[in-house]
Amino acid sequence: MCLLLFFLIVVGVVGALGFSSLCTIFFSAVSLQVLPFLLIGIGVNDMFIITSNFWRARDNPAFAGKTIPETMEIAFTHIGPTCFITSLVDFVAFMLAGISEMPAVRSFAFQVAIAVLFEVILVLTAFSAGVALDCKR
């Protein structure tokens, strides 16, 4: 599961930097050095929330006999708002940092905001699918 998260973070960084370049946002070396570590923090947080809620729903005696999709549905009723609100707050914070007058700070903030969107989409889709596949084995 850790390798999957690492792969998703790499894909998120590459995708965010590529999309930022497509939007003609200035690229700096600081982005490449700091962005992966920010995404690791956000991604690991979401990963722990997803796995803990999934295993809590799976081990709950009230939900015994549920299939994996039903267990994922139960877990995502708790996961969805948590991951959405934390990612929304991160996105808004970096978009507000983008109003800075310093060009390097502005471009970095916009790149991180884009990367947060890429990361939350990847974690909520691909990592959740990985958790369900891991449960099958």
Side-chain angles (χ1 to χ4, degrees):
M1 297 310 293
C2 290
L3 289 176
L4 177 62
L5 181 67
F6 176 73
F7 175 73
L8 293 177
I9 289 171
V10 169
V11 170
V13 169
V14 171
L17 292 177
F19 187 76
S20 298
S21 296
L22 184 67
C23 295
T24 64
I25 296 174
F26 176 71
F27 177 77
S28 67
V30 175
S31 301
L32 192 58
Q33 295 170 352
V34 176
L35 190 63
F37 294 105
L38 285 173
L39 288 186
I40 286 172
I42 295 169
V44 167
N45 179 37
D46 290 345
M47 178 190 75
F48 281 129
I49 291 170
I50 289 170
T51 53
S52 68
N53 279 310
F54 178 76
W55 292 114
R56 187 177 308 139
R58 183 174 177 225
D59 295 338
N60 191 342
F63 304 123
K66 297 281 186 183
T67 63
I68 294 174
E70 291 170 338
T71 306
M72 290 296 284
E73 179 182 351
I74 293 165
F76 264 89
T77 58
H78 302 287
I79 295 167
T82 305
C83 290
F84 177 74
I85 295 295
T86 56
S87 298
L88 180 67
V89 167
D90 292 337
F91 176 76
V92 168
F94 284 111
M95 288 302 284
L96 288 175
I99 63 173
S100 173
E101 295 295 323
M102 296 172 44
V105 173
R106 180 184 303 131
S107 65
F108 175 73
F110 287 143
Q111 287 173 343
V112 174
I114 291 169
V116 166
L117 290 179
F118 273 75
E119 184 271 333
V120 74
I121 290 169
L122 287 171
V123 167
L124 288 178
T125 57
F127 185 75
S128 300
V131 169
L133 289 174
D134 185 52
C135 184
K136 278 190 167 186
R137 61 176 183 113

